[in-house]
Amino acid sequence: MSDDQTAILDRYGVIGYPVAQSRSPFIHRLFADQTDQAMTYELIEAPEDKLDTIVRHFQRNGGRGLNVTVPHKTAITRLVDELSEEASIAGAVNTLELKSDRIVGHNTDGLGLVRDLTHHWQYDVGGKRILLLGAGGAAQGIVAPLLELEPEQLVIANRSIGKADALANHFGTLGAVRAIRFSDIRESDDPYDLIINATSIGLTDEKMPFPHIAITPRHSDCYDLGYGLSETPFMRWAATHDAARIRSGWGMLIEQAAESFRIWRGVTPDTKDVIKRLPIN
Ligand code: ATR
């Protein structure tokens, strides 16, 4: 649709690079139908150097809100005038509220993950040993909400140790958290109860760079923040190494989307109805 055609309806979208893989348009369309909201939701591809121009153009042309995905969740913070408490703690933004005079940045990823883990997967994070793979924008948004659930320890493993260190230092006051390299994962470590993939690797690669000894067979549960129409590469890797329970990021995607939708439209969609229609694992 051209800017002229869409000007009558409030416009929303997801901005990222790449973005074609995103299922957010499908989910927000279901939410809009379910709650009778007159709105459009678009896929917006934006390389890093065009991010500011594209967001401002969208805001001037009926854009009321954006979801922000890889790799812009931290870079976008420089564009916002105001941060919600969650976004401020995370230092990352996944939802923009585009007002006529300013841009407010929110982060609904943490809430989305916690709701999916606790409500839909019946998972109790309290007292568990958690291995978080990745230290980018997606990881950043979920560290504080996970620590609030009081795991025994949260270990952040990343290819670049500097980013993992920075996250562990930033959130160190909120709970037991430490940073390691993938190669520091040892068979002799106490078993990880839950392994969360927050890297963007499944988008481009099949081969997982993590040592499989991270998984204690039939004990470790594996959760991928990524999702697909079939199993993700991380889920296949987890199954190959005999993980206990395995789940994709569909539930989190729907829950974070529902919270974005509530922020934008003031109504909370029924997520159970949407989850029923999707290939949730
Ligand atoms: P997002 O918003 O999805 O977190 P991001 O901020 O670009 O996107 O972060 C991508 C994450 O995936 C990072 O943890 C990155 O590791 P580095 O910090 O070392 O770059 C991780 N990642 C991406 N491709 C990877 C690969 N081939 N091997 C290991 N880690 C990878």
Side-chain angles (χ1 to χ4, degrees):
M1 267 186 277
S2 72
D3 289 343
D4 284 350
Q5 285 171 302
T6 54
I8 38 162
L9 292 179
D10 287 348
R11 292 172 72 189
Y12 297 88
V14 53
I15 191 162
Y17 195 78
V19 79
Q21 80 288 348
S22 174
R23 304 291 166 195
S24 292
F26 177 68
I27 292 168
H28 282 281
R29 193 143 315 125
L30 291 178
F31 287 167
D33 287 349
Q34 190 196 73
T35 58
D36 265 336
Q37 300 291 306
M39 58 184 271
T40 63
Y41 192 100
E42 304 156 42
L43 280 176
I44 303 169
E45 188 163 82
E48 174 84 51
D49 60 344
K50 302 250 166 50
L51 190 58
D52 301 25
T53 322
I54 292 175
V55 169
R56 301 230 184 262
H57 180 263
F58 187 71
Q59 183 183 25
R60 280 195 307 272
N61 290 280
R64 296 282 171 268
L66 285 171
N67 284 127
V68 182
T69 187
V70 275
H72 302 318
K73 289 183 182 187
T74 43
I76 203 88
T77 54
R78 67 166 187 260
L79 222 104
V80 307
D81 303 295
E82 203 179 308
L83 285 174
S84 72
E85 194 185 336
E86 287 77 12
S88 165
I89 292 171
V93 161
N94 80 332
T95 303
L96 295 178
E97 220 184 329
L98 304 173
K99 305 200 175 218
S100 55
D101 58 340
R102 66 191 198 286
I103 300 179
V104 186
H106 299 263
N107 195 315
T108 67
D109 279 338
L111 189 75
L113 174 67
V114 167
R115 280 195 185 148
D116 188 45
L117 280 176
T118 56
H119 296 181
H120 302 303
W121 215 30
Q122 270 86 46
Y123 196 91
D124 182 4
V125 172
K128 300 287 190 341
R129 270 177 57 75
I130 302 180
L131 176 65
L132 176 61
L133 303 167
Q140 219 168 308
I142 62 173
V143 172
L146 282 172
L147 288 173
E148 261 170 43
L149 299 176
E150 302 185 350
E152 181 191 299
Q153 188 169 47
L154 178 65
V155 177
I156 305 174
N158 199 46
R159 177 175 60 180
S160 336
I161 184 71
K163 273 159 88 177
D165 271 334
L167 280 197
N169 289 334
H170 185 72
F171 294 106
T173 54
L174 300 180
V177 52
R178 72 186 180 97
I180 60 170
R181 294 185 173 80
F182 296 142
S183 57
D184 294 329
I185 299 170
R186 302 264 183 268
E187 206 152 4
S188 54
D189 291 349
D190 287 339
Y192 291 107
D193 301 306
L194 175 63
I195 303 174
I196 300 175
N197 176 36
T199 69
S200 54
I201 188 158
L203 294 178
T204 48
D205 294 86
E206 267 294 312
K207 198 173 160 351
M208 296 295 111
F210 329 117
H212 68 82
I213 47 171
I215 298 176
T216 299
R218 295 174 298 287
H219 174 84
S220 308
D221 294 317
C222 286
Y223 189 106
D224 196 351
L225 260 49
Y227 56 90
L229 290 178
S230 58
E231 281 188 322
T232 63
F234 175 78
M235 293 168 79
R236 279 196 289 279
W237 173 79
T240 303
H241 298 294
D242 216 4
R245 292 200 298 164
I246 303 170
R247 188 167 172 89
S248 76
W250 275 113
M252 172 179 169
L253 177 78
I254 293 165
E255 289 297 342
Q256 64 77 31
E259 183 59 14
S260 301
F261 195 89
R262 189 196 62 75
I263 289 167
W264 293 330
R265 308 299 300 181
V267 280
T268 306
D270 173 5
T271 53
K272 284 219 172 80
D273 176 58
V274 173
I275 282 176
K276 269 194 275 173
R277 296 166 187 238
L278 290 168
I280 300 282
N281 286 285

